[in-house]
Amino acid sequence: MNSPMVPSSLAEGSFHRSVVRPRGSESGFAVLMMGGKSSAIAAGVCGTLIIGYCIYFDRKRRSDPNFKTRLRERRRPQKAAQLPDLKDAEAVQKFFLDEIQLGEELLAQGDYEKGVDHLTNAIAICDQPQQLLQVLQQTLPPPVFYILAKLPSISQHIVSAQSLEEDDVE
């Protein structure tokens, strides 16, 4: 009855019942595991493709002949504005007005960091920095003034101005 080439399940006729089942009789766990394996494989393939693209792009960027020169230029510290001779009142006034004007123009263009740098230069040489800070606080948007106030030299001026105001109140 049993032939050596035919499995016993085929010989008995039970193979059909065990392999071919109606759709509703499969266990949910088996279906979930098959979906999880294919999802894991798909995620692995996608991850490999992304990492491959990153490596390709990095090599292409580094092989650019101008890459090192641009990198050096970007890392090179920005030259600070040349402060005028503080004994020459006319030069100080011109520098002050130029820095305020340039700072306002840069802020209007949306370049907040450079604009704040120029306003900081103006505050540094101003005779009355507390009053200038009060005017800037009223005219600048709060986020821009917050950037300005975060700078160490400016925050010292603000703290000293607040302590002077508190002393005046007492």
Side-chain angles (χ1 to χ4, degrees):
M1 196 131 177
N2 284 342
S3 135
M5 299 300 263
V6 178
S8 64
S9 61
L10 282 178
E12 296 172 5
S14 63
F15 179 74
H16 179 66
R17 281 179 280 152
S18 64
V19 174
V20 180
R21 295 182 186 171
R23 204 85 168 116
S25 67
E26 294 178 352
S27 69
F29 181 73
V31 171
L32 186 62
M33 286 301 293
M34 292 185 73
K37 286 180 184 178
S38 62
S39 296
I41 291 171
V45 168
C46 288
T48 303
L49 289 174
I50 289 172
I51 290 173
Y53 178 74
C54 290
I55 291 171
Y56 163 76
F57 182 74
D58 186 52
R59 285 195 180 184
K60 184 177 178 182
R61 179 181 63 100
R62 288 178 184 238
S63 66
D64 183 19
N66 297 327
F67 171 70
K68 288 185 180 181
T69 56
R70 287 191 308 239
L71 186 62
R72 284 187 198 116
E73 288 174 4
R74 197 176 330 139
R75 289 183 179 172
R76 196 171 293 148
Q78 300 291 332
K79 292 183 179 180
Q82 296 294 329
L83 294 176
D85 182 20
L86 297 178
K87 295 177 183 175
D88 185 7
E90 192 173 308
V92 170
Q93 184 178 7
K94 182 181 181 331
F95 178 79
F96 175 77
L97 293 174
D98 289 344
E99 290 295 305
I100 292 287
Q101 181 180 8
L102 190 55
E104 288 176 350
E105 289 174 3
L106 289 170
L107 289 174
Q109 294 173 359
D111 192 357
Y112 297 125
E113 289 183 23
K114 289 182 181 178
V116 167
D117 287 341
H118 287 284
L119 291 176
T120 303
N121 291 338
I123 293 169
I125 64 162
C126 184
D127 291 337
Q128 301 169 343
Q130 288 83 10
Q131 290 178 348
L132 179 58
L133 284 170
Q134 289 174 353
V135 170
L136 290 175
Q137 186 176 12
Q138 293 171 357
T139 58
L140 293 176
V144 175
F145 185 76
Y146 179 72
I147 294 171
L148 185 68
K150 281 180 67 174
L151 298 174
S153 61
I154 303 303
S155 62
Q156 289 173 355
H157 286 298
I158 293 172
V159 169
S160 64
Q162 288 175 348
S163 65
L164 287 175
E165 289 174 4
E166 290 173 0
D167 291 342
D168 290 342
V169 173
E170 293 176 357

Coordinates of all heavy atoms in Angstrom, one line a residue, residues 27-109:
S27 N -4.8 30.4 11.1 CA -4.7 31.1 12.3 C -4.2 32.5 12.0 O -3.4 32.8 11.1 CB -3.7 30.4 13.2 OG -2.4 30.5 12.7
G28 N -4.6 33.5 12.8 CA -4.3 34.9 12.6 C -2.8 35.1 12.9 O -2.2 35.9 12.2
F29 N -2.2 34.3 13.7 CA -0.8 34.5 14.1 C 0.1 34.1 12.9 O 1.1 34.8 12.6 CB -0.4 33.6 15.3 CG 1.0 33.7 15.7 CD1 1.5 34.9 16.3 CD2 1.9 32.7 15.4 CE1 2.8 35.0 16.7 CE2 3.2 32.8 15.8 CZ 3.7 34.0 16.4
A30 N -0.3 33.1 12.1 CA 0.5 32.7 11.0 C 0.5 33.7 9.9 O 1.5 34.1 9.3 CB 0.0 31.3 10.4
V31 N -0.7 34.3 9.7 CA -0.8 35.4 8.7 C 0.0 36.6 9.1 O 0.7 37.3 8.3 CB -2.3 35.8 8.5 CG1 -2.4 37.0 7.6 CG2 -3.0 34.6 7.8
L32 N -0.1 36.9 10.4 CA 0.7 38.1 10.9 C 2.2 37.9 10.8 O 2.9 38.8 10.5 CB 0.3 38.3 12.4 CG 0.8 39.5 13.1 CD1 0.3 40.8 12.4 CD2 0.4 39.6 14.5
M33 N 2.6 36.7 11.1 CA 4.1 36.4 11.0 C 4.6 36.6 9.5 O 5.6 37.1 9.3 CB 4.4 35.0 11.5 CG 4.3 34.9 13.0 SD 5.4 36.1 13.8 CE 7.0 35.4 13.3
M34 N 3.8 36.1 8.6 CA 4.2 36.3 7.2 C 4.2 37.7 6.8 O 5.1 38.2 6.1 CB 3.2 35.5 6.3 CG 3.4 34.0 6.5 SD 2.4 33.1 5.3 CE 3.3 33.3 3.8
G35 N 3.3 38.5 7.3 CA 3.3 40.0 7.0 C 4.4 40.7 7.7 O 5.0 41.6 7.2
G36 N 4.8 40.2 8.9 CA 5.9 40.8 9.6 C 7.2 40.5 9.0 O 8.1 41.4 8.9
K37 N 7.4 39.3 8.4 CA 8.6 39.0 7.7 C 8.8 39.8 6.5 O 9.9 40.3 6.2 CB 8.6 37.5 7.4 CG 8.9 36.6 8.5 CD 8.9 35.2 8.1 CE 9.0 34.2 9.3 NZ 9.0 32.8 8.9
S38 N 7.7 40.0 5.7 CA 7.8 40.8 4.5 C 8.0 42.2 4.8 O 8.8 42.9 4.1 CB 6.6 40.6 3.6 OG 5.4 41.0 4.2
S39 N 7.4 42.7 5.9 CA 7.6 44.1 6.3 C 9.1 44.3 6.7 O 9.7 45.3 6.4 CB 6.7 44.5 7.4 OG 5.4 44.5 7.0
A40 N 9.6 43.4 7.4 CA 11.0 43.5 7.9 C 12.0 43.4 6.7 O 12.9 44.2 6.7 CB 11.3 42.3 8.9
I41 N 11.7 42.6 5.8 CA 12.5 42.5 4.6 C 12.5 43.8 3.8 O 13.5 44.4 3.3 CB 12.1 41.3 3.7 CG1 12.5 40.0 4.4 CG2 12.8 41.4 2.3 CD1 12.0 38.8 3.7
A42 N 11.2 44.4 3.6 CA 11.1 45.6 2.9 C 11.8 46.8 3.6 O 12.4 47.6 3.0 CB 9.6 46.0 2.8
A43 N 11.7 46.8 5.0 CA 12.4 47.9 5.7 C 13.9 47.7 5.6 O 14.6 48.7 5.5 CB 11.9 47.8 7.2
G44 N 14.4 46.5 5.6 CA 15.8 46.3 5.5 C 16.3 46.7 4.1 O 17.4 47.3 4.0
V45 N 15.5 46.4 3.1 CA 15.9 46.8 1.7 C 15.9 48.4 1.6 O 16.9 49.0 1.1 CB 15.0 46.2 0.7 CG1 15.2 46.8 -0.7 CG2 15.2 44.7 0.6
C46 N 14.9 49.0 2.2 CA 14.8 50.5 2.1 C 16.0 51.1 2.9 O 16.6 52.0 2.4 CB 13.5 50.9 2.7 SG 12.1 50.6 1.6
G47 N 16.3 50.6 4.1 CA 17.4 51.1 4.9 C 18.7 50.9 4.1 O 19.5 51.9 4.1
T48 N 18.9 49.8 3.5 CA 20.1 49.6 2.7 C 20.2 50.6 1.6 O 21.3 51.1 1.3 CB 20.2 48.1 2.2 OG1 20.0 47.2 3.3 CG2 21.5 47.8 1.5
L49 N 19.1 50.8 0.9 CA 19.1 51.8 -0.2 C 19.4 53.2 0.2 O 20.2 53.9 -0.4 CB 17.8 51.7 -1.0 CG 17.5 50.5 -1.8 CD1 16.1 50.5 -2.3 CD2 18.5 50.4 -2.9
I50 N 18.9 53.6 1.4 CA 19.1 54.9 1.9 C 20.6 55.1 2.3 O 21.2 56.1 2.0 CB 18.2 55.2 3.1 CG1 16.8 55.4 2.6 CG2 18.6 56.4 3.9 CD1 15.7 55.5 3.6
I51 N 21.1 54.1 3.0 CA 22.5 54.2 3.4 C 23.4 54.2 2.2 O 24.4 54.9 2.1 CB 22.9 53.0 4.4 CG1 22.2 53.2 5.7 CG2 24.4 52.9 4.6 CD1 22.3 52.1 6.7
G52 N 23.1 53.4 1.2 CA 23.9 53.4 -0.1 C 23.9 54.7 -0.8 O 24.9 55.2 -1.2
Y53 N 22.7 55.3 -0.8 CA 22.6 56.7 -1.4 C 23.4 57.7 -0.6 O 24.1 58.5 -1.2 CB 21.1 57.1 -1.5 CG 21.0 58.5 -2.1 CD1 21.2 58.7 -3.4 CD2 20.7 59.6 -1.3 CE1 21.1 60.0 -4.0 CE2 20.6 60.9 -1.8 CZ 20.8 61.1 -3.2 OH 20.7 62.3 -3.7
C54 N 23.4 57.6 0.7 CA 24.2 58.5 1.5 C 25.7 58.4 1.3 O 26.4 59.4 1.2 CB 23.9 58.3 3.0 SG 22.2 58.9 3.5
I55 N 26.1 57.1 1.2 CA 27.5 56.9 0.9 C 27.9 57.4 -0.5 O 28.9 58.1 -0.7 CB 27.9 55.4 1.0 CG1 27.7 55.0 2.5 CG2 29.2 55.1 0.5 CD1 27.8 53.5 2.7
Y56 N 27.0 57.2 -1.5 CA 27.3 57.7 -2.8 C 27.4 59.2 -2.8 O 28.3 59.8 -3.4 CB 26.2 57.2 -3.8 CG 26.1 58.0 -5.1 CD1 27.0 57.8 -6.1 CD2 25.1 58.9 -5.2 CE1 26.9 58.5 -7.3 CE2 25.0 59.6 -6.4 CZ 25.9 59.4 -7.4 OH 25.8 60.1 -8.6
F57 N 26.4 59.9 -2.2 CA 26.4 61.3 -2.2 C 27.6 61.9 -1.5 O 28.2 62.9 -1.9 CB 25.1 61.8 -1.5 CG 24.9 63.3 -1.5 CD1 24.6 64.0 -2.7 CD2 25.1 64.0 -0.4 CE1 24.5 65.3 -2.7 CE2 25.0 65.4 -0.4 CZ 24.7 66.1 -1.5
D58 N 28.0 61.3 -0.4 CA 29.1 61.8 0.4 C 30.4 61.7 -0.5 O 31.2 62.6 -0.5 CB 29.3 61.0 1.7 CG 30.4 61.6 2.6 OD1 30.3 62.8 2.8 OD2 31.3 60.8 3.0
R59 N 30.6 60.5 -1.1 CA 31.8 60.4 -2.0 C 31.8 61.4 -3.1 O 32.8 61.9 -3.5 CB 31.9 59.0 -2.5 CG 32.3 58.0 -1.5 CD 32.7 56.7 -2.1 NE 33.1 55.8 -1.0 CZ 33.6 54.6 -1.2 NH1 33.8 54.2 -2.5 NH2 34.0 53.9 -0.2
K60 N 30.6 61.6 -3.7 CA 30.5 62.6 -4.8 C 30.8 64.0 -4.3 O 31.5 64.7 -5.0 CB 29.1 62.5 -5.4 CG 28.9 63.4 -6.6 CD 27.5 63.3 -7.2 CE 27.3 64.2 -8.3 NZ 26.0 64.2 -8.9
R61 N 30.3 64.3 -3.1 CA 30.6 65.6 -2.6 C 32.1 65.8 -2.2 O 32.7 66.9 -2.5 CB 29.8 65.8 -1.3 CG 29.9 67.1 -0.6 CD 29.1 67.1 0.7 NE 29.4 66.1 1.6 CZ 30.2 66.3 2.7 NH1 30.6 67.5 3.0 NH2 30.5 65.3 3.5
R62 N 32.7 64.8 -1.7 CA 34.1 64.9 -1.3 C 35.0 64.9 -2.5 O 36.1 65.4 -2.4 CB 34.5 63.8 -0.3 CG 33.9 64.0 1.0 CD 34.3 62.8 1.9 NE 33.6 62.9 3.2 CZ 34.3 63.0 4.3 NH1 35.6 62.9 4.3 NH2 33.7 63.1 5.5
S63 N 34.6 64.3 -3.6 CA 35.4 64.3 -4.8 C 35.4 65.6 -5.6 O 36.1 65.7 -6.5 CB 35.1 63.1 -5.6 OG 33.8 63.3 -6.2
D64 N 34.5 66.5 -5.2 CA 34.4 67.8 -5.9 C 35.7 68.5 -5.6 O 36.2 68.7 -4.5 CB 33.2 68.5 -5.3 CG 33.0 69.9 -6.0 OD1 33.5 70.1 -7.1 OD2 32.3 70.7 -5.4
P65 N 36.3 69.1 -6.7 CA 37.6 69.8 -6.5 C 37.5 71.0 -5.6 O 38.4 71.4 -5.0 CB 37.9 70.2 -8.0 CG 36.9 69.8 -8.8 CD 35.8 69.0 -8.1
N66 N 36.3 71.7 -5.6 CA 36.2 72.9 -4.8 C 35.7 72.6 -3.3 O 35.5 73.5 -2.6 CB 35.2 73.8 -5.4 CG 35.7 74.3 -6.8 OD1 36.9 74.4 -7.0 ND2 34.8 74.5 -7.7
F67 N 35.5 71.3 -3.0 CA 35.0 71.0 -1.7 C 35.8 71.5 -0.5 O 35.4 72.1 0.4 CB 34.8 69.5 -1.6 CG 34.4 69.0 -0.2 CD1 33.2 69.3 0.4 CD2 35.4 68.3 0.6 CE1 32.9 68.9 1.6 CE2 35.0 67.9 1.9 CZ 33.8 68.2 2.4
K68 N 37.1 71.3 -0.6 CA 38.0 71.7 0.5 C 38.1 73.2 0.6 O 38.2 73.7 1.7 CB 39.4 71.0 0.3 CG 39.4 69.6 0.6 CD 40.8 69.0 0.5 CE 40.8 67.5 0.8 NZ 42.1 66.9 0.8
T69 N 38.1 73.9 -0.5 CA 38.2 75.3 -0.4 C 37.0 75.9 0.2 O 37.0 76.8 1.0 CB 38.5 75.9 -1.8 OG1 37.5 75.5 -2.7 CG2 39.9 75.5 -2.3
R70 N 35.8 75.4 -0.2 CA 34.5 75.9 0.3 C 34.5 75.6 1.8 O 34.0 76.4 2.6 CB 33.4 75.3 -0.4 CG 33.1 75.9 -1.8 CD 31.8 75.4 -2.3 NE 31.6 74.0 -2.3 CZ 31.4 73.2 -3.3 NH1 31.3 73.7 -4.5 NH2 31.2 71.9 -3.1
L71 N 34.9 74.4 2.2 CA 34.9 74.0 3.6 C 35.8 74.9 4.4 O 35.4 75.3 5.5 CB 35.4 72.5 3.8 CG 35.3 71.9 5.1 CD1 33.8 71.9 5.6 CD2 35.9 70.5 5.1
R72 N 37.0 75.2 3.9 CA 37.9 76.1 4.6 C 37.3 77.5 4.8 O 37.4 78.2 5.8 CB 39.2 76.2 3.9 CG 40.1 75.0 4.1 CD 41.5 75.2 3.5 NE 42.1 73.9 3.4 CZ 42.5 73.4 2.2 NH1 42.3 74.0 1.1 NH2 43.0 72.2 2.2
E73 N 36.7 78.0 3.7 CA 36.0 79.3 3.8 C 34.9 79.4 4.8 O 34.7 80.4 5.5 CB 35.5 79.7 2.4 CG 36.5 80.0 1.4 CD 36.0 80.3 0.0 OE1 34.7 80.3 -0.2 OE2 36.8 80.5 -0.9
R74 N 34.1 78.3 4.9 CA 33.0 78.3 5.8 C 33.5 78.2 7.2 O 32.9 78.8 8.1 CB 32.2 77.0 5.5 CG 30.8 77.2 6.1 CD 29.9 76.0 5.8 NE 30.1 75.4 4.5 CZ 30.0 74.1 4.3 NH1 29.8 73.3 5.3 NH2 30.2 73.6 3.1
R75 N 34.7 77.5 7.5 CA 35.2 77.4 8.8 C 36.0 78.6 9.2 O 36.3 78.8 10.4 CB 36.0 76.1 8.9 CG 35.2 74.9 8.9 CD 36.1 73.7 9.0 NE 35.3 72.4 9.0 CZ 35.8 71.2 9.0 NH1 37.1 71.1 9.0 NH2 35.0 70.2 9.0
R76 N 36.5 79.4 8.3 CA 37.3 80.5 8.6 C 36.4 81.5 9.4 O 35.3 81.8 9.0 CB 37.7 81.2 7.3 CG 38.9 82.2 7.5 CD 39.4 82.6 6.1 NE 40.1 81.5 5.5 CZ 40.1 81.3 4.2 NH1 39.5 82.2 3.4 NH2 40.7 80.3 3.6
P77 N 37.0 82.0 10.5 CA 36.2 82.9 11.3 C 35.9 84.2 10.6 O 36.7 84.7 9.8 CB 37.1 83.2 12.5 CG 38.4 82.8 12.1 CD 38.3 81.8 11.0
Q78 N 34.7 84.7 10.8 CA 34.3 86.0 10.2 C 35.0 87.1 10.8 O 35.2 87.2 12.0 CB 32.8 86.2 10.4 CG 31.9 85.1 9.8 CD 32.0 85.1 8.3 OE1 32.2 86.1 7.6 NE2 31.8 83.9 7.7
K79 N 35.5 88.0 9.9 CA 36.2 89.2 10.5 C 35.2 90.1 11.2 O 34.2 90.4 10.7 CB 36.9 89.9 9.4 CG 38.0 89.2 8.7 CD 38.7 90.0 7.7 CE 39.9 89.2 7.1 NZ 40.6 90.0 6.1
A80 N 35.6 90.5 12.4 CA 34.8 91.4 13.1 C 34.9 92.8 12.5 O 35.8 93.2 11.9 CB 35.2 91.5 14.6
A81 N 33.8 93.6 12.7 CA 33.8 95.0 12.2 C 34.9 95.8 12.9 O 35.2 95.6 14.1 CB 32.5 95.6 12.5
Q82 N 35.6 96.6 12.2 CA 36.7 97.4 12.7 C 36.0 98.6 13.5 O 35.3 99.4 12.9 CB 37.6 97.9 11.6 CG 38.3 96.8 10.8 CD 39.3 96.1 11.7 OE1 39.9 96.7 12.6 NE2 39.5 94.8 11.5
L83 N 36.3 98.6 14.8 CA 35.7 99.6 15.6 C 36.5 100.9 15.3 O 37.7 100.9 15.2 CB 35.9 99.3 17.1 CG 35.0 98.1 17.5 CD1 35.3 97.8 19.0 CD2 33.5 98.4 17.3
P84 N 35.8 102.0 15.3 CA 36.5 103.3 15.1 C 37.3 103.8 16.3 O 37.2 103.2 17.4 CB 35.3 104.3 14.8 CG 34.2 103.7 15.6 CD 34.4 102.2 15.5
D85 N 38.1 104.8 16.1 CA 38.8 105.4 17.2 C 37.8 106.0 18.1 O 37.0 106.9 17.7 CB 39.8 106.4 16.7 CG 40.6 107.1 17.8 OD1 40.7 106.5 18.9 OD2 41.2 108.2 17.5
L86 N 37.7 105.6 19.4 CA 36.7 106.1 20.3 C 36.9 107.5 20.7 O 36.0 108.2 21.2 CB 36.6 105.2 21.5 CG 36.2 103.7 21.2 CD1 36.3 102.9 22.5 CD2 34.9 103.6 20.6
K87 N 38.1 108.1 20.4 CA 38.3 109.5 20.7 C 37.7 110.4 19.7 O 37.5 111.6 19.9 CB 39.8 109.8 20.9 CG 40.4 109.0 22.0 CD 41.9 109.2 22.1 CE 42.5 108.4 23.3 NZ 43.9 108.4 23.3
D88 N 37.5 109.9 18.5 CA 37.0 110.7 17.4 C 35.4 110.5 17.4 O 34.9 109.5 16.9 CB 37.5 110.2 16.0 CG 37.1 111.0 14.9 OD1 36.4 112.1 15.1 OD2 37.4 110.6 13.7
A89 N 34.7 111.5 17.9 CA 33.3 111.5 18.1 C 32.5 111.3 16.8 O 31.5 110.6 16.7 CB 32.8 112.7 18.8
E90 N 33.1 112.0 15.7 CA 32.4 111.9 14.4 C 32.5 110.5 13.8 O 31.5 110.0 13.3 CB 33.0 113.0 13.5 CG 32.3 113.2 12.2 CD 32.9 114.3 11.4 OE1 33.1 115.4 12.0 OE2 33.1 114.1 10.2
A91 N 33.6 109.9 14.0 CA 33.8 108.5 13.4 C 32.9 107.5 14.2 O 32.3 106.6 13.6 CB 35.3 108.1 13.5
V92 N 32.8 107.7 15.5 CA 32.0 106.9 16.4 C 30.6 107.0 16.0 O 29.8 106.0 15.9 CB 32.2 107.2 17.9 CG1 31.2 106.4 18.7 CG2 33.6 106.8 18.3
Q93 N 30.1 108.2 15.8 CA 28.7 108.5 15.4 C 28.4 107.9 14.0 O 27.4 107.2 13.9 CB 28.4 110.0 15.4 CG 27.0 110.3 15.1 CD 26.7 111.8 15.2 OE1 27.6 112.6 15.3 NE2 25.4 112.1 15.1
K94 N 29.3 108.0 13.1 CA 29.1 107.5 11.8 C 29.1 105.9 11.8 O 28.2 105.3 11.3 CB 30.2 107.9 10.8 CG 30.1 107.4 9.4 CD 31.2 107.8 8.5 CE 31.1 107.3 7.1 NZ 30.4 106.1 6.8
F95 N 30.0 105.3 12.6 CA 30.0 103.9 12.8 C 28.7 103.4 13.4 O 28.1 102.4 13.0 CB 31.2 103.5 13.6 CG 31.3 102.0 13.9 CD1 31.8 101.1 12.9 CD2 30.9 101.5 15.1 CE1 31.8 99.8 13.2 CE2 30.9 100.1 15.3 CZ 31.4 99.3 14.4
F96 N 28.3 104.1 14.5 CA 27.0 103.8 15.2 C 25.8 103.8 14.2 O 25.1 102.8 14.2 CB 26.8 104.7 16.3 CG 25.5 104.6 17.0 CD1 25.3 103.5 17.9 CD2 24.4 105.4 16.8 CE1 24.1 103.3 18.6 CE2 23.2 105.2 17.4 CZ 23.1 104.2 18.3
L97 N 25.7 104.8 13.5 CA 24.5 104.9 12.5 C 24.6 103.9 11.4 O 23.6 103.3 11.0 CB 24.5 106.4 11.9 CG 24.1 107.5 12.9 CD1 24.2 108.8 12.3 CD2 22.8 107.2 13.5
D98 N 25.8 103.7 10.9 CA 26.0 102.6 9.9 C 25.6 101.2 10.4 O 25.0 100.5 9.7 CB 27.4 102.6 9.3 CG 27.8 103.9 8.5 OD1 26.8 104.6 8.1 OD2 29.0 104.1 8.3
E99 N 26.1 100.9 11.6 CA 25.8 99.6 12.2 C 24.3 99.5 12.4 O 23.7 98.4 12.2 CB 26.6 99.4 13.5 CG 28.1 99.2 13.2 CD 28.4 98.0 12.4 OE1 27.9 96.9 12.9 OE2 29.1 98.1 11.4
I100 N 23.6 100.5 12.9 CA 22.2 100.4 13.2 C 21.4 100.2 11.9 O 20.6 99.4 11.7 CB 21.7 101.7 13.9 CG1 22.2 101.8 15.3 CG2 20.1 101.8 13.9 CD1 21.6 100.8 16.3
Q101 N 21.8 101.0 10.8 CA 21.2 100.9 9.5 C 21.4 99.5 8.9 O 20.5 98.9 8.4 CB 21.7 102.0 8.6 CG 21.0 102.0 7.2 CD 21.6 103.1 6.3 OE1 22.6 103.7 6.7 NE2 21.0 103.2 5.2
L102 N 22.6 99.1 8.9 CA 22.9 97.8 8.4 C 22.2 96.6 9.1 O 21.7 95.7 8.5 CB 24.4 97.5 8.4 CG 24.9 96.3 7.6 CD1 24.5 96.4 6.1 CD2 26.5 96.3 7.6
G103 N 22.2 96.7 10.4 CA 21.4 95.8 11.2 C 20.0 95.7 10.9 O 19.4 94.6 10.8
E104 N 19.4 96.9 10.8 CA 17.9 96.9 10.4 C 17.7 96.4 9.0 O 16.7 95.7 8.8 CB 17.4 98.4 10.5 CG 17.3 98.9 11.9 CD 16.9 100.4 12.0 OE1 16.9 101.0 10.9 OE2 16.6 100.8 13.1
E105 N 18.6 96.7 8.1 CA 18.4 96.1 6.7 C 18.5 94.6 6.7 O 17.7 93.9 6.1 CB 19.4 96.7 5.8 CG 19.2 98.2 5.4 CD 20.4 98.8 4.6 OE1 21.3 98.1 4.3 OE2 20.3 100.0 4.4
L106 N 19.5 94.1 7.4 CA 19.6 92.6 7.5 C 18.4 92.0 8.2 O 18.0 90.9 7.8 CB 20.9 92.3 8.2 CG 22.2 92.6 7.3 CD1 23.4 92.4 8.2 CD2 22.3 91.7 6.1
L107 N 17.9 92.6 9.2 CA 16.8 92.0 9.9 C 15.5 92.1 9.0 O 14.7 91.1 9.0 CB 16.5 92.8 11.2 CG 17.5 92.6 12.3 CD1 17.1 93.5 13.5 CD2 17.5 91.2 12.8
A108 N 15.4 93.1 8.2 CA 14.3 93.2 7.3 C 14.4 92.1 6.2 O 13.4 91.6 5.7 CB 14.2 94.6 6.6
Q109 N 15.6 91.7 5.8 CA 15.8 90.7 4.8 C 15.7 89.3 5.4 O 15.6 88.3 4.7 CB 17.2 90.8 4.2 CG 17.4 92.1 3.4 CD 18.8 92.3 2.9 OE1 19.7 91.5 3.2 NE2 19.1 93.3 2.2

